[in-house]
């Protein structure tokens, strides 16, 4: 099991460029989320998903798009990068359990450090 | 929406002392409360969690208490050690139509002095 993987590890973008941060998990988890963590700050929820085809907005969704076409993958797309999006981005996944509502540990990926100049 | 406040932002203790971190949440529908430890440059790691139908949970030197009426929960670390130095985050989670929605507190930087 690779767990939650994220690519790339580091990325530098110019203002206005677009890119996609990749996230994949091999644990057959239904729940997946994207967070951003600014220096010295907590994690803020960007988007989250309950399964393929179902996503919802978190606390700070503006400037980001997501899609969930498979259980394994949950890419995050930056539409037009801005310096305010300089941050570390974490993807996380969680098992949904056989009986809802039930909660299980979120597993985090190693993060992508993004700098927008 | 949910809002989680965490205090203190920085905590310094002597090795062997106890450390307490407190959090409050706003959405009474939240019913899962995990605590994460994050070391510099690393990903957050779950250290303990508590569900809304439980008032207290303990795992060796770590314990968490939950007061649903007051909407606050706390992390207690006893017999602190230098390796406990890290940033600790509380969080409140709810399962809604979009999925598993978790809102984090701003974090507490814990320093344990040897």
């Amino acid at each position: 099991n690779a767990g939650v993987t994220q690519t790339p590890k580091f990325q530098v973008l110019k203002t206005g460029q677009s890119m996609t941060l990749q996230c994949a998990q091999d644990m057959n988890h239904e729940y997946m989320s994207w967070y951003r963590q600014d220096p010295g700050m907590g994690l803020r929820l960007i988007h989250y998903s309950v399964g393929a085809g179902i996503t919802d907005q978190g606390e700070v969704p503006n400037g980001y798009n997501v899609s969930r076409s498979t259980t394994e993958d949950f890419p995050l797309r930056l539409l037009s990068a801005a310096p305010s999006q300089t941050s570390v981005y974490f993807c996380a996944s969680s098992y949904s359990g056989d009986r809802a509502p039930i909660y299980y540990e979120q597993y985090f990926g190693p993060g992508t450090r993004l700098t927008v100049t | 929406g949910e809002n989680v406040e965490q205090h203190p932002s920085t905590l310094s203790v002597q090795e062997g002392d106890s450390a307490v971190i407190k959090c409050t949440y706003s959405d009474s529908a939240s019913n899962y409360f995990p605590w994460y430890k994050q070391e510099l440059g690393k990903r957050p790691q779950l250290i303990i969690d508590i569900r809304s139908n439980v008032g207290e949970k303990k795992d060796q030197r770590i314990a968490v208490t939950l007061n649903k009426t007051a909407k606050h929960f706390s992390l207690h670390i006893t017999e602190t050690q230098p390796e406990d130095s890290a940033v600790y985050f509380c969080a409140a989670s709810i399962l809604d139509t979009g999925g598993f929605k978790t809102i984090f507190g701003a974090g507490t930087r814990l320093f344990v002095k040897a």
Side-chain angles (χ1 to χ4, degrees):
Chain A
N1 264 358
V4 181
T5 58
Q6 292 184 239
T7 56
K9 284 190 171 60
F10 301 94
Q11 182 71 49
V12 179
L13 291 178
K14 293 189 188 307
T15 297
Q17 288 184 314
S18 64
M19 79 159 294
T20 299
L21 307 186
Q22 301 292 344
C23 174
Q25 51 89 12
D26 61 359
M27 298 175 282
N28 201 31
H29 286 173
E30 290 292 335
Y31 301 149
M32 295 187 75
S33 301
W34 273 104
Y35 299 90
R36 62 177 286 175
Q37 186 174 32
D38 298 335
M41 303 279 288
L43 292 96
R44 289 186 290 169
L45 181 65
I46 305 172
H47 287 284
Y48 58 112
S49 170
V50 72
I54 305 171
T55 64
D56 207 346
Q57 296 181 349
E59 301 171 272
V60 288
N62 291 343
Y64 307 95
N65 273 358
V66 291
S67 59
R68 184 101 180 266
S69 56
T70 67
T71 299
E72 295 77 19
D73 301 297
F74 191 39
L76 177 73
R77 182 162 180 82
L78 278 71
L79 308 172
S80 177
S84 61
Q85 293 179 303
T86 294
S87 191
V88 178
Y89 290 83
F90 287 102
C91 177
S93 74
S94 176
Y95 178 51
S96 61
D98 297 323
R99 292 176 291 122
I102 193 163
Y103 301 92
Y104 292 88
E105 175 181 358
Q106 279 197 96
Y107 291 85
F108 282 83
T112 293
R113 189 174 295 274
L114 175 70
T115 301
V116 182
T117 61
Chain B
E2 176 65 280
N3 182 51
V4 177
E5 294 195 358
Q6 183 172 346
H7 301 279
S9 57
T10 305
L11 180 59
S12 185
V13 300
Q14 285 292 133
E15 182 178 1
D17 287 351
S18 295
V20 180
I21 302 170
K22 299 183 177 184
C23 291
T24 60
Y25 62 99
S26 61
D27 190 342
S28 57
S30 292
N31 50 12
Y32 172 64
F33 305 92
W35 286 86
Y36 289 86
K37 176 182 181 182
Q38 188 178 32
E39 296 174 339
L40 190 63
K42 301 281 184 67
R43 73 191 82 182
Q45 300 272 8
L46 182 75
I47 55 171
I48 195 167
D49 57 15
I50 191 167
R51 288 161 174 73
S52 60
N53 58 349
V54 175
E56 185 173 355
K57 182 177 178 181
K58 190 173 181 181
D59 183 4
Q60 298 182 351
R61 296 186 297 109
I62 295 173
V64 59
T65 58
L66 171 65
N67 183 327
K68 279 188 65 180
T69 304
K71 288 191 264 185
H72 65 70
F73 55 116
S74 301
L75 177 72
H76 303 252
I77 306 174
T78 58
E79 300 171 24
T80 53
Q81 300 165 3
E83 51 265 38
D84 293 330
S85 296
V87 180
Y88 291 81
F89 294 99
C90 63
S93 295
I94 182 172
L95 188 60
D96 64 18
T97 54
F100 189 39
K101 182 177 181 179
T102 299
I103 303 299
F104 283 77
T108 296
R109 187 172 297 275
L110 175 65
F111 297 96
V112 180
K113 295 176 285 187

